[in-house]
Amino acid sequence: MRDFETVVGLEVHVELKTESKIFCSCPTAFGGAPNAHICEVCAGLPGALPRLNRKVVDHAVMTALALNCEVTRESRFDRKNYFYPDLPKGYQISQLYAPIGRDGYVDIEYPDKKDGTSMLKKRIRIHELHMEDDAGKLVHDPIKNITKIDFSRCGVPLLEIVTEPDFRSEEEVVAFLEQLRIMLRFLGVSDCKMQEGSLRADVNLSVRPIGQTSLGNRTEMKNLASFRAVAKAIGYEAARQWAVVSESGRIPRETRRWDEEKEMSFPMRKKEDASEYKYFPEPDLPAIRITDEKIEEVRKQIPELPSDKRRRYIEQLRLPAYDAGILTSQKPLAVLFERTAELCGDPKEASNWIMGEFMKILNDHGNSGEDFDLRPDSLGEIILLLQKGRISRASAKALLLSAYEDGSIPEKEAEKRDLWLIGDKEVLRPIVKKVLEDNPKALSEYRSGKLKNKQFLLGQAMRETKGKADPSILEGVLQEYLESE
Amino acid sequence: MERETILHLSALELAKAIRKQEITSEQAVEAVLEKTDKTETDLHAYVSVFREDAPEIARKRDAFVREMPEGTELPPLWGVPVAIKDNLLLQGKKTTCGSKMLENYISPYTATCVEKLEKAGAIVIGKTNMDEFGMGVSTENSFFGPTIHPLDPTRVPGGSSGGSAAAVGSGSAFAALGTDTGGSVRQPAAYCGLFGLRPTYGTVSRHGLVAFSSSMDVAGPITRSSLDLAAIYNIVTGADDKDMTSVCAPSVDLLAMKQYSPKGKRIGIPKQLFSEEKMDQEILKAMKIAIEELESSGARIDLIDMPILDYAVAVYYILSSAEASSNLSRYDGIRYGYRASDVKDLADLYTKTRSEGFGLEVKRRILLGNYVLSSEHFEDCYRKAEKARDQVRSAFDEAFSEHDLLLSPTSPMVAPKLGESLKDPLAAYVSDLCTVPASLAGIPAVSIPVQSSTGFPCGIQLMARKFGEQELLGASYFHEKHCTSLERRGDA
């Protein structure tokens, strides 16, 4: 078996996060009643014409730049013709001859399986990047034995990212997809939610004897709804092809469908007789001209990407590599970290709070950190209150939980819950005095040398304040009394 | 005013009479409807006539005229009944495109050019018959039956906008909108003795024009006068957010048009569009008269060589059929339109629906389009045709660097007899030779009615450079007023 190697290329479809569709002004909102978001354009009614949403082009150019692609200066759309009930125009508006981006790459890093700690690096080449419109959805009703069509997804903008066949293992593929996903989310161009279908990866896979330079016949695998499924499907398909090739069989070119439950793939359709899409230039849309100025303008809008952030956190903010890795794995975490560090002026403290308490909260709520509603200023405000001694550490944690769950403002919430520590000596003195009066024995023992009684007295005083005294100030006041006579 | 007199007016003349309250819009509408009731059984110019709505709208137009303060400027076609081709959408009305596929399709919105006509005060009296989806030269390829020539019941009115030409030619409308892909406005206008304008591609929004060949489709007027062409051109043109291929065009100045003189103008005649072997004698004779008259008015006319035009018909049919095959994919029986019954599965539904819902000519073009787009023939058919189209454009650019206008017959023959155009599809395609070059180049062209030697109408065509409508319509107006033209056709 080890005499074979697996060769994989990916076709990744990414739904762009624009407010309106690619060729009309219908909203792209996910969900909603079936066919709620359609008009004459996306439903392909007679006489309707596409009008290009410039935001889609901006997103595509930004992605092309982030993937180190050459941006096509005169990009065009082409029609891909085929019949299917979810395709109301009878063609998809895509890009074949002049896609928006070409010849890019992504440098991936992933742990070495052998030792589990050192990182392997590899450059994955991007063949091209193109824009297209999404199709609708067929909903099968097995009980009534009918199929309904929801056209709301028609015209949702898609980017298709096509890699070269540079992958040799599922680890590389998953590392690439994870990195791509983080990057696109950082760019703000897509949610990349595999479950909702806003990131879909089709796997083109072939096997060949080691040493052979030409590629074997490949199959295309669809319906991969998670990274786990991608990894499983690659392992399965490679083994299946090895088995066929080992027995001198030939792999037919076909599209296969991954069955997540059975963890097996099944043939969908033969490629050999079905790939006649009669592509031709889309006459309804003029060429998209992209100037140098436009490219520079978009380049300026590209936010700092995760790999750059990670380096900066380590080198400039002196965070451990592990912390930096976690904090840059999700855009909202990085945003929260940077704002918190800025507010409290202590990157390590900010990182500790996020890595510790905040991660625990996310975990308890089953949130992966991809998407949460915490106001970015909240944690910094809490740390500041803590640093100023206005709240206890326990209160700080409670405030963070409340800010996360209810969106409360820490200062107001502390007020509401009466969490302020008593730091006023004038308030604390009578309390301490009363404690000393109530505990004459402990006091006299202290004075005769039993110094550990101070801790007891402090505890009593704290109890009197219902735990709300600022511990250091309370201790100071107590010390004053103990030393005064 | 007498009803018969009314029916002879041009659209602008009628608008003026309504403005001056010499006649009401309602009277004009009633006159047209009465005429239509008389002729329609034989003529079949319309797919739908709005007998209820049109008088209703006319009364509102009239009320406005009665109550408007002195000096109010009315929109240019206030109260004028017009017809539109049945591939232009009008909300709430059927848009059949002459096809069984869309026999009962109700327009969910209105085409931009129709909306502009209505805003200019025109009243849509009905939707006219056409060759199915615009594919044909005789209006015989309509699911609803052929339209007949308004002057001769044994002949066709031309096509594909034959219904629009027959309506204006018979007095059933004062002007009409057709659509021109390869000559579908100019050729029926020529056959019926009317004026027809194919505007510069993109000047009229295609939003709401049911697509045949997207890179060549353009809506244009069929009228009884050059001034009507200009007025309607000014109304329907304009860049539209809903059509990214639409462009802003300068309007035509009607006063300047009236002062146009061909003196000193250089007019070229592409010899590929004017040859003994390709054209009927009567057409050649009519052309010769036009040439003599223009020359005696001071124009300098010469024959020019544009060899690439020998390929224009082939290039046109390759490109337009390729686009058509894709544009017509949406008629699949799934969402709207005709759906076949008793089907086994999805593939069967598609096959039966499209086999039964489309007519012969449409299926022929879809097959042709699929052939030229197939991976096997894409390079040697589609790509080659695309390159040839570029050469056609360059040839026109070169021609217009030395000429103000180009002249040719509109069609190599007069209106053929019923049934003749269906006998030999290839011969019918070849008859488009004079009109398709302007379509490929996207330039404007006008068909001006003249009399053939047999007395039957035919047309001469003038072509101008892109956005050259002022020059084109000025020359058309001059010819109309000063040369041997046809008696105005307002009444059969």
Side-chain angles (χ1 to χ4, degrees), chain A residues 120-381:
Chain A
L120 295 171
K121 293 184 182 184
K122 183 165 185 176
R123 175 161 290 188
I124 303 298
R125 292 170 301 156
I126 304 294
H127 177 72
E128 70 166 60
L129 170 78
H130 65 250
M131 302 175 274
E132 57 191 26
D133 57 350
D134 206 347
K137 262 183 217 169
L138 298 187
V139 186
H140 303 280
D141 184 337
I143 297 161
K144 289 186 193 156
N145 195 26
I146 53 168
T147 301
K148 297 175 185 175
I149 318 177
D150 180 1
F151 292 107
S152 280
R153 202 178 64 181
C154 286
V156 167
L158 293 180
L159 274 189
E160 182 172 337
I161 299 163
V162 183
T163 76
E164 297 291 351
D166 285 351
F167 302 98
R168 295 293 175 272
S169 70
E170 52 261 54
E171 288 82 11
E172 290 176 6
V173 171
V174 170
F176 171 84
L177 287 173
E178 273 175 352
Q179 222 165 296
L180 179 70
R181 183 164 180 275
I182 292 169
M183 179 195 282
L184 295 174
R185 290 177 56 89
F186 264 79
L187 292 177
V189 299
S190 174
D191 284 335
C192 291
K193 289 180 180 163
M194 273 188 122
Q195 265 75 24
E196 290 180 8
S198 64
L199 182 130
R200 284 167 255 165
D202 298 339
V203 169
N204 288 309
L205 186 147
S206 62
V207 297
R208 65 183 173 192
I210 287 191
Q212 182 184 308
T213 46
S214 62
L215 293 172
N217 256 0
R218 67 166 187 264
T219 59
E220 182 180 350
M221 185 84 66
K222 286 185 180 291
N223 195 40
L224 300 163
S226 65
F227 291 161
R228 194 181 152 274
V230 170
K232 282 254 176 207
I234 291 174
Y236 172 89
E237 180 61 11
R240 190 188 69 82
Q241 290 195 17
W242 284 340
V244 175
V245 175
S246 302
E247 296 188 5
S248 328
R250 186 177 157 273
I251 304 291
R253 280 201 63 179
E254 62 185 2
T255 302
R256 300 177 68 85
R257 186 179 183 283
W258 180 248
D259 188 318
E260 184 114 40
E261 265 174 46
K262 297 196 176 85
E263 297 197 338
M264 285 169 79
S265 69
F266 298 94
M268 261 172 88
R269 57 174 181 259
K270 293 260 177 285
K271 272 267 171 184
E272 275 147 351
D273 47 40
S275 63
E276 179 63 279
Y277 288 121
K278 294 169 290 167
Y279 275 101
F280 76 104
E282 165 59 278
D284 287 331
L285 292 166
I288 311 154
R289 288 189 177 78
I290 296 171
T291 59
D292 290 352
E293 293 77 45
K294 180 75 199 175
I295 290 179
E296 280 322 301
E297 182 196 317
V298 174
R299 202 188 290 281
K300 277 188 204 127
Q301 291 166 10
I302 295 182
E304 190 184 20
L305 291 174
S307 49
D308 300 327
K309 266 192 198 302
R310 190 163 168 271
R311 200 173 313 119
R312 182 167 62 88
Y313 288 2
I314 296 169
E315 288 169 8
Q316 291 179 20
L317 303 181
R318 304 276 162 217
L319 291 193
Y322 178 75
D323 290 23
I326 301 270
L327 292 175
T328 54
S329 66
Q330 312 282 3
K331 188 177 186 179
L333 284 180
V335 168
L336 177 64
F337 165 69
E338 289 180 18
R339 185 66 190 136
T340 306
E342 192 186 344
L343 275 178
C344 75
D346 185 346
K348 185 67 188 126
E349 179 71 1
S351 169
N352 287 345
W353 268 91
I354 294 170
M355 301 287 294
E357 194 56 30
F358 187 60
M359 286 296 198
K360 183 173 163 291
I361 291 174
L362 285 179
N363 220 7
D364 292 346
H365 289 78
N367 188 317
S368 64
E370 267 184 9
D371 211 352
F372 50 80
D373 276 338
L374 185 71
R375 197 169 51 91
D377 282 5
S378 307
L379 180 56
E381 290 168 4

Side-chain angles (χ1 to χ4, degrees), chain A residues 46-47 52 79 81 88 278, chain B residues 109 208 244 326-327 330 335 370:
Chain A
L52 180 61
R79 289 191 188 172
N81 296 284
K278 294 169 290 167
Chain B
Y109 63 97
M244 289 195 76
S326 173
N327 284 330
R330 64 189 63 190
R335 295 162 305 280
N370 275 293

Side-chain angles (χ1 to χ4, degrees), chain B residues 308 311-312 315 319 382-394 440:
Chain B
I308 189 68
Y311 300 95
V315 169
L319 296 179
Y382 185 89
R383 280 291 186 216
K384 238 186 215 174
E386 236 186 0
K387 281 181 194 139
R389 184 181 190 177
D390 283 339
Q391 290 182 34
V392 170
R393 287 195 188 102
S394 312
L440 289 170

Side-chain angles (χ1 to χ4, degrees), chain B residues 242-265:
Chain B
K242 292 173 176 151
D243 174 5
M244 289 195 76
T245 62
S246 70
V247 288
C248 191
S251 352
V252 170
D253 182 338
L254 273 65
L255 287 176
M257 229 175 106
K258 290 179 181 170
Q259 275 137 35
Y260 184 90
S261 163
K263 195 157 194 261
K265 296 287 183 186

